[in-house]
Amino acid sequence: MAADAELNLSFIEKKLGTLGRISLYAGLLGMYSLIPVLKNHSERLLIALGVSETHAEEFLSLGDMSSDLHTTLGLVLGLLLVFRTNSSYARWWEARQLWGKLVNVSRNMAIKFREFTNYGADELRELGNLIVAFPEALRDHLREDDDFAMFPELEQIEPPPRHIPAYIADLIYRKVIGWKRSGVIDGDELRVLDSEIRELMEICGGCERIRRTRLSPSYRLFVRHCISLYLCTLPWGLVDDFGFWTVPLTIILAYFMIGIEVIAHSVEEPFGLDEDDLDLDGLCITIRSTVNEILDRFGKNACEIARPGDSTVEVTHSNS
């Protein structure tokens, strides 16, 4: 499945990054601010070209506006940007909490599977593969780039599952229900395991809600229009008071204004490949390494337990 357009980084985004793009846009506005500055210092040039003094004064007053107007507009725009930033960061932080919870759930599942089943290392390795496959499948699902290479048998199913994380969670449930029916675990242990497995799809549902429910497009467009209108008229309101200082002041104000919007837009979608997105690859590696460590430790103890009459082995297992 092709990746969403929001996840495909443009050439500029790859080369400059978030802060580089903000600096580029602010620099372009700084160049634009030269227009009113040059206009206010063109009186001698106009007279030299033969323009009458009256027409020259009319030209010099063209586009002038009070800086007090931008002070008022800046306060209103600031309130809009605060809400925009807070809502975007709330989405990013909620996504991080969900993936932090997934790390803990994966570790708890590995420990409980190990202790409740008393399986050998080979059997637990199969379970471990399912545990670590879920976050990797969820990562690709959120990026709309499902990878069937993890489960080649999925391509043999007609039709293949469209929701791979749900398919993996179903496989784990089938394993656990099979243990209950065969007497490997009892009802109380089943309830303990169910409390962990159920969290998988709740985490998946929370991430899908963040992924597919973005801030209202009308609000995002309205904020961008307000920023554009404010910055395009800003140099004309500053030039009478600051002269050539209008250029650096415009660049600084544009850097902050544009920066807030660009960063908010980048943080709003936390599952992509941008530098501001969550490090899902790193989290998946963390889950895989931790689960493998838990199950590998069991494999070593299993070999020791196989030696009858060794009391120290049983102590080692009880402490694991």
Side-chain angles (χ1 to χ4, degrees):
M1 184 182 298
D4 190 271
E6 291 288 346
L7 302 178
N8 294 329
L9 303 181
S10 67
F11 176 79
I12 294 179
E13 291 172 327
K14 290 179 180 178
K15 289 294 184 181
L16 299 180
T18 302
L19 296 181
R21 281 182 288 146
I22 297 172
S23 300
L24 174 63
Y25 301 147
L28 292 176
L29 276 168
M31 296 175 62
Y32 163 76
S33 65
L34 286 171
I35 297 176
V37 172
L38 295 177
K39 184 213 68 166
N40 272 23
H41 293 79
S42 61
E43 181 178 3
R44 294 182 180 179
L45 177 62
L46 293 175
I47 295 176
L49 294 175
V51 178
S52 64
E53 185 175 347
T54 302
H55 289 88
E57 291 179 356
E58 292 178 355
F59 177 79
L60 293 175
S61 63
L62 183 66
D64 289 346
M65 58 185 65
S66 174
S67 58
D68 295 336
L69 175 62
H70 286 85
T71 302
T72 305
L73 291 178
L75 293 175
V76 177
L77 185 58
L79 295 176
L80 294 175
L81 291 177
V82 167
F83 175 78
R84 174 82 166 103
T85 304
N86 288 343
S87 61
S88 298
Y89 181 76
R91 291 166 53 87
W92 186 93
W93 181 242
E94 183 182 1
R96 181 61 185 89
Q97 288 180 312
L98 288 171
W99 272 83
K101 188 176 184 181
L102 181 58
V103 173
N104 295 333
V105 168
S106 301
R107 293 167 175 170
N108 290 332
M109 288 174 58
I111 294 173
K112 292 176 182 179
F113 285 172
R114 182 190 71 183
E115 297 299 330
F116 288 170
T117 61
N118 286 326
Y119 279 164
D122 293 337
E123 291 84 356
L124 283 180
R125 178 57 55 198
E126 180 181 354
L127 293 172
N129 290 336
L130 289 176
I131 295 175
V132 300
F134 182 85
E136 294 173 356
L138 178 59
R139 173 199 61 197
D140 296 337
H141 175 71
L142 294 173
R143 294 174 177 174
E144 299 191 2
D145 188 21
D146 295 329
D147 184 9
F148 288 93
M150 291 189 302
F151 288 94
E153 65 272 14
L154 296 184
E155 296 181 322
Q156 308 299 325
I157 302 176
E158 290 295 338
R162 300 178 59 184
H163 199 290
I164 297 181
Y167 178 81
I168 297 174
D170 180 54
L171 290 179
I172 297 175
Y173 258 116
R174 289 186 183 185
K175 291 281 186 183
V176 174
I177 296 300
W179 297 342
K180 176 62 173 62
R181 291 172 179 172
S182 61
V184 175
I185 60 175
D186 57 26
D188 292 334
E189 293 171 335
L190 175 62
R191 283 190 288 272
V192 172
L193 294 177
D194 177 72
S195 65
E196 300 292 345
I197 302 173
R198 185 174 63 248
E199 294 288 350
L200 295 179
M201 293 312 300
E202 291 183 359
I203 293 172
C204 178
C207 291
E208 289 177 335
R209 172 175 50 80
I210 296 174
R211 175 72 180 86
R212 298 174 182 175
T213 309
R214 305 188 64 178
L215 191 65
S216 169
S218 298
Y219 184 86
R220 284 188 282 124
L221 192 62
F222 175 72
V223 171
R224 292 176 182 178
H225 285 172
C226 290
I227 293 175
S228 300
L229 180 62
Y230 179 84
L231 292 178
C232 287
T233 57
L234 177 63
W236 303 90
L238 298 178
V239 66
D240 285 339
D241 296 328
F242 297 97
F244 281 106
W245 283 100
T246 299
V247 176
L249 288 176
T250 300
I251 293 176
I252 294 173
L253 290 174
Y255 185 84
F256 287 118
M257 290 288 186
I258 297 176
I260 292 174
E261 168 57 25
V262 170
I263 293 175
H265 175 75
S266 180
V267 170
E268 186 181 17
E269 172 46 63
F271 304 119
L273 301 172
D274 201 356
E275 59 184 347
D276 295 318
D277 295 328
L278 296 177
D279 183 15
L280 300 187
D281 295 328
L283 291 171
C284 289
I285 293 173
T286 299
I287 293 174
R288 176 177 290 275
S289 62
T290 306
V291 170
N292 287 340
E293 180 185 359
I294 293 171
L295 300 182
D296 288 343
R297 183 182 300 117
F298 173 81
K300 294 177 182 179
N301 291 336
C303 296
E304 295 174 349
I305 292 172
R307 294 179 295 177
D310 190 349
S311 59
T312 61
V313 174
E314 296 182 0
V315 174
T316 303
H317 175 64
S318 63
N319 292 335
S320 61

